[in-house]
């Protein structure tokens, strides 16, 4: 079994993924963390020093490596769906899309200093809307399962995923 969580920034992929992996006794892999581990520096540092293009290359390599692991839950970064290569790679697992409203993203990223795409922006809401317009169709294209946003806690989202997987 290989479950892959996709969705926009602050959709809860890492938290939900970690809890889901515990419930299912699977390994947990966070692609952003893998990028940081192999680079030895933070994502913000990579964006700053090397730019987004180089980050996307590192992200692609980390995704390929993560997908070589069986029996795991993988949390991805919000931009993983941007390339056709990555979208094809995601077919190596069951892809779960965590739909999230701009409002929730804004609330959760209010004091965020770890997401360079928001850090660089002087209008967070507009940036999130622009990203959403480009990425939502790509998330939908990749998703095998979509968890629609409601007033759900992370634990409720885990429950919904288990229901949809009939587990
Ligand atoms: C990004 C999302 C981040 C991280 C990087 C770029 C994006 O991950 O990969 O800052 O392009 O949306 P999260 O979705 O976990 O915040």
């Amino acid at each position: 079994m290989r479950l892959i969580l996709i969705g926009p920034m602050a959709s809860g992929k890492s938290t939900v993924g970690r809890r889901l992996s515990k419930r299912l006794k699977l390994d947990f892999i966070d692609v952003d963390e893998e990028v940081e581990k192999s680079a030895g520096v933070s994502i913000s540092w990579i964006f700053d020093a090397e730019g987004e293009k180089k980050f996307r290359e590192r992200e692609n390599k980390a995704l390929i490596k993560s997908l070589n692991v069986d029996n795991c839950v993988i949390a991805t970064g919000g931009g993983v769906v941007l390339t056709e290569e990555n979208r094809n790679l995601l077919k190596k697992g069951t892809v779960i899309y965590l739909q999230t409203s701009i409002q929730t993203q804004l609330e959760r990223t209010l004091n965020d200093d770890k997401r360079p795409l928001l850090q660089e922006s002087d209008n967070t809401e507009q940036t999130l809307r622009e990203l959403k317009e480009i990425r939502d169709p790509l998330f939908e294209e990749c998703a095998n399962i979509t968890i629609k946003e409601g007033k759900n806690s992370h634990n409720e989202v885990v429950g919904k995923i288990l229901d949809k997987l009939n587990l």
Side-chain angles (χ1 to χ4, degrees), residues 8-10 99-110 118 123-133 136 149:
M9 284 183 263
Q99 253 182 9
T100 306
S101 67
I102 298 279
Q103 189 54 39
T104 300
Q105 284 184 281
L106 279 172
E107 285 163 18
R108 291 188 185 156
T109 58
L110 208 56
L118 302 185
N123 185 338
T124 308
E125 180 168 352
Q126 193 188 326
T127 301
L128 289 173
R129 286 194 191 286
E130 284 166 7
L131 293 174
K132 187 178 177 64
E133 194 161 313
D136 273 9
E149 152 141 292

Side-chain angles (χ1 to χ4, degrees), residues 4-19:
I4 308 169
L5 294 169
I6 63 168
M9 284 183 263
S11 52
K13 298 168 299 239
S14 301
T15 308
V16 168
R18 201 175 293 281
R19 292 184 193 176

Side-chain angles (χ1 to χ4, degrees), residues 48-106:
D48 235 28
E50 300 181 338
E52 181 172 350
K53 189 165 176 281
K54 187 74 193 167
F55 168 76
R56 297 294 168 205
E57 288 170 24
R58 290 185 181 277
E59 182 181 47
N60 168 257
K61 287 204 186 89
L63 179 68
I64 292 172
K65 196 171 158 219
S66 306
L67 288 167
N68 283 328
V69 180
D70 291 324
N71 297 319
C72 64
V73 177
I74 301 174
T76 58
V80 79
V81 292
L82 287 173
T83 66
E84 192 177 359
E85 184 190 349
N86 284 356
R87 295 198 295 277
N88 281 326
L89 284 167
L90 293 176
K91 293 180 181 149
K92 292 179 85 174
T94 302
V95 178
I96 303 163
Y97 167 29
L98 303 187
Q99 253 182 9
T100 306
S101 67
I102 298 279
Q103 189 54 39
T104 300
Q105 284 184 281
L106 279 172

